[in-house]
């Protein structure tokens, strides 16, 4: 069964550093999402991406964040200058045309020290 | 604003007993409702969805959920709980190709 994959599984970085989180959505899916889950809290929407552009973003997704689909298979989330409060589990999700359920990757745990 | 509420942080049930995990929602328009399960150190795994049609939907691993429009609820149920069902359960909602709004999650503990 096809699945969404994410790398790395765990990333530790120092405050102020840039990080790139990578996702490979299911191959025929067209809508892509990033969510985050701060430890012990609910899953929160960050951004959605369709047709090579951002279709919607939350207030969490400020100028420090960016997304890209550089090569038709990968979908990346970049945080330019990480803050302590960016420490969270980041989930990528994708959805196919005519479908309703989002398929989630296993997540990347980001720890900012 | 859309919201999903899961009133219980923790649900404990004995193995073999029925389980219910509660969820209520507030969505503009017709709601699309979902349940996801998260095992330790794993991603969110889709269990079931309600889009339209029968109010009782069946999903993976013997789980089912009942859509109740008048009570704006979508409670997750299983007739006979297994120890392996112990996990974190999330209810989520959207109104069609919009970002999912999640509840805070309910930790289910099934005791042998």
């Amino acid at each position: 069964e096809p699945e969404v994959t994410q790398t790395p599984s765990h990333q530790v970085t120092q405050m102020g550093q840039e990080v790139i989180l990578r996702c490979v959505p299911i191959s025929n899916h067209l809508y892509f999402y990033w969510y985050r889950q701060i430890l012990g809290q609910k899953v929160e929407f960050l951004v959605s991406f369709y047709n090579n552009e951002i279709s919607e973003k939350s207030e969490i997704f400020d100028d420090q964040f960016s997304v890209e689909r550089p090569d038709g298979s990968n979908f990346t989330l970049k945080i330019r200058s990480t803050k302590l409060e960016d420490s969270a589990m980041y989930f990528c999700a994708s959805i196919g045309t005519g479908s309703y359920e989002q398929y989630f990757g296993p997540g990347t745990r980001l720890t900012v020290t | 604003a859309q919201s999903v509420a899961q009133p219980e942080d923790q649900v404990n049930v004995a193995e073999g007993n029925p389980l219910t995990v509660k969820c209520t929602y507030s969505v503009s328009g017709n709601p699309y409702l979902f349940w996801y399960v998260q095992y330790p150190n794993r991603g969110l795994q889709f269990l079931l969805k309600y889009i339209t049609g029968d109010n009782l939907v069946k999903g993976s691993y013997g789980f089912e959920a009942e859509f109740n429009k008048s009570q704006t609820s979508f409670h997750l149920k299983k007739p006979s709980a297994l120890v392996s069902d112990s996990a974190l359960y999330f209810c989520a909602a959207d109104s069609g190709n919009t970002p999912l709004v999640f509840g805070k999650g309910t930790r289910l503990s099934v005791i042998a």
Side-chain angles (χ1 to χ4, degrees), chain B residues 17 21-23 30 40 42 47-48 50 56 60 68 70 72-73 84 91 93 98 101 109:
Chain B
N17 282 3
V21 183
K22 295 179 181 177
C23 171
N30 293 323
R42 302 287 296 276
L47 273 181
L48 51 79
Y50 171 82
L56 183 66
S60 307
N68 187 317
S70 62
T72 61
S73 68
S84 57
C91 182
T98 58
V101 175
S109 180

Side-chain angles (χ1 to χ4, degrees), chain B residues 6-84:
Chain B
Q6 293 179 246
E8 303 152 318
D9 291 333
Q10 173 95 29
V11 170
N12 298 317
V13 63
E15 187 175 32
N17 282 3
L19 69 87
T20 299
V21 183
K22 295 179 181 177
C23 171
T24 58
Y25 64 89
S26 174
V27 171
S28 58
N30 293 323
Y32 294 179
L33 300 164
F34 305 84
W35 276 99
Y36 286 85
V37 60
Q38 185 180 31
Y39 295 99
N41 301 313
R42 302 287 296 276
L44 296 165
Q45 187 174 337
F46 170 77
L47 273 181
L48 51 79
K49 68 179 185 285
Y50 171 82
I51 305 299
T52 187
D54 288 342
N55 289 342
L56 183 66
V57 292
K58 295 185 184 296
S60 307
Y61 312 119
F63 283 93
E64 58 189 31
E66 186 166 13
F67 170 62
N68 187 317
K69 188 173 183 178
S70 62
Q71 296 185 2
T72 61
S73 68
F74 190 57
H75 301 331
L76 181 70
K77 301 182 180 186
K78 187 173 181 180
S80 178
L82 300 172
V83 172
S84 57

Side-chain angles (χ1 to χ4, degrees), chain A residues 59-79:
Chain A
E59 56 190 28
I60 302 170
F61 194 87
D62 61 21
D63 292 344
Q64 292 299 313
F65 291 88
S66 63
V67 289
E68 197 175 42
R69 189 159 160 80
D71 57 12
S73 61
N74 289 284
F75 179 50
T76 62
L77 174 69
K78 181 192 292 185
I79 309 175

Side-chain angles (χ1 to χ4, degrees), chain A residues 31 33 35 37 41-43 45 56 91 95 99-102 104-106 109, chain B residues 4 32 34 36 38 42-44 46 49 51 90 97-100 102-104:
Chain A
Y31 298 86
Y33 303 82
Y35 293 82
Q37 182 185 28
Q41 299 185 25
K42 67 169 67 175
V43 178
F45 166 72
E56 192 167 350
F91 293 106
I95 188 169
S99 180
Y100 298 100
E101 65 263 30
Q102 294 182 24
F104 283 80
R109 182 171 299 282
Chain B
V4 173
Y32 294 179
F34 305 84
Y36 286 85
Q38 185 180 31
R42 302 287 296 276
L44 296 165
F46 170 77
K49 68 179 185 285
I51 305 299
F90 289 97
N97 278 337
T98 58
L100 283 171
F102 284 85
K104 64 179 181 178

